[in-house]
Amino acid sequence: MAVHAHPGPESTNTGGILARYAAQGVRTVLVTSTNGEFGNAQDGSRPGEPGHDPAAVARTRAAELRAAAGHLGIGHLEPLGYHDSGMADWDLEPQPNWFAQVSLDIVAARIADLIDRHRPQVVVTYALDAPYRHPDQVHTARAAHRAVEVSGVPVRLYTVAMGTGYWRGLRDAVMAAGLPEPFPDPEGDSALAGVEQRVTTSIDVSAVLERKKAAVLAHTSQVGGTWIEKLYENDVPLALGREDYIKVPRPGGPHGLENDFFAGL
């Protein structure tokens, strides 16, 4: 079971593991907290701009999510249906129905119910201290971690770990494709270095990169015209052939990297 904030990160963050395990016959479940109303509209307009209709954006993103799930072989989609909260620095007055305003206990209870129903052996979500601090990702992480604690199902919990190595490899791949520099060199970023140092699990997803590529590109409204689309339109770079995670709680003492969530199960 992967628990994400919006349509899209299931493909960019965890598309490799979802496709890999689905191809091996593992039952996969995707929980998505919000409808993504504050994403870009199909014409590229952003929230607050002419032409941006949040309800229409939500419908578009739901269709894109279903298409992406098909490419990844996801067996069960479980949208929680909350309204996107937008970014913390946007000039918008938060509304009670926005996801980040909903009680953590309520959200955690809903996710725990899904864990009890589907009985996954592994749950994957964001780290509580992830460098990217979108309000909906933060709320999703807190709710998912609490859900694992209160659920009656024993699960292994892992968090997405996009550290220095991931961002360096992605940046190098973009520039090798002749595209403009997408973001500054991640070297020296202490937050990303901290993520890198805590990685416990590195999964080889090279065999399913074409499926991940198709899933990422299915989110046309969000990646269309961006460097992400241009990168994935070509051969997927080998830098994206693995996905890293952190096991929670992180094992103490010396240890080698795991290469399979289900080892020993």
Side-chain angles (χ1 to χ4, degrees):
M1 177 182 284
V3 186
H4 282 289
H6 311 112
E10 83 292 329
S11 300
T12 54
N13 292 186
T14 58
I17 54 132
L18 288 168
R20 168 183 159 150
Y21 286 114
Q24 292 177 2
V26 174
R27 186 164 50 91
T28 52
V29 182
L30 172 63
V31 180
T32 308
S33 299
T34 82
N35 306 317
E37 287 91 345
F38 287 147
N40 293 345
Q42 286 182 296
D43 63 0
S45 60
R46 298 177 180 275
E49 295 179 350
H52 189 280
D53 177 355
V57 171
R59 289 192 295 271
T60 296
R61 297 191 73 180
E64 292 173 345
L65 179 62
R66 289 191 295 271
H71 291 302
L72 298 176
I74 295 171
H76 301 272
L77 286 178
E78 296 286 0
L80 299 184
Y82 291 110
H83 194 292
D84 193 328
S85 305
M87 297 296 288
D89 58 353
W90 287 2
D91 187 20
L92 295 172
E93 184 66 30
Q95 301 300 311
N97 67 321
W98 291 7
F99 177 59
Q101 306 303 312
V102 178
S103 164
L104 183 62
D105 290 338
I106 291 174
V107 181
R110 291 189 64 188
I111 298 173
D113 284 345
L114 292 173
I115 292 174
D116 291 341
R117 184 194 313 166
H118 290 287
R119 306 192 70 79
Q121 293 171 297
V122 171
V123 171
V124 178
T125 191
Y126 314 112
L128 294 173
D129 59 350
Y132 183 53
R133 305 302 289 172
H134 189 294
D136 289 335
Q137 288 206 2
V138 171
H139 206 46
T140 295
R142 290 171 178 166
H145 282 247
R146 182 174 295 184
V148 168
E149 292 175 1
V150 303
S151 167
V153 180
V155 301
R156 291 182 176 180
L157 177 62
Y158 290 86
T159 59
V160 173
M162 292 179 167
T164 310
Y166 169 81
W167 292 109
R168 184 195 305 117
L170 186 59
R171 176 178 176 272
D172 291 349
V174 172
M175 297 178 72
L179 300 171
E181 182 178 21
F183 45 79
D185 190 331
E187 286 298 327
D189 187 314
S190 59
L192 296 182
V195 172
E196 190 83 9
Q197 292 165 4
R198 298 197 302 276
V199 169
T200 62
T201 309
S202 188
I203 308 291
D204 182 354
V205 298
S206 56
V208 293
L209 277 179
E210 287 302 309
R211 297 176 92 180
K212 178 173 180 175
K213 169 183 175 177
V216 170
L217 294 177
H219 293 281
T220 309
S221 66
Q222 307 308 301
V223 304
T226 69
W227 63 264
I228 298 174
E229 180 184 53
K230 292 179 173 62
L231 177 65
Y232 275 92
E233 281 178 337
N234 302 312
D235 291 336
V236 184
L238 291 179
L240 300 178
R242 72 169 197 176
E243 291 178 354
D244 293 339
Y245 298 88
I246 300 169
K247 192 173 185 178
V248 182
R250 187 175 185 275
H255 64 280
L257 286 178
E258 293 181 330
N259 60 12
D260 181 9
F261 287 149
F262 297 93
L265 291 176

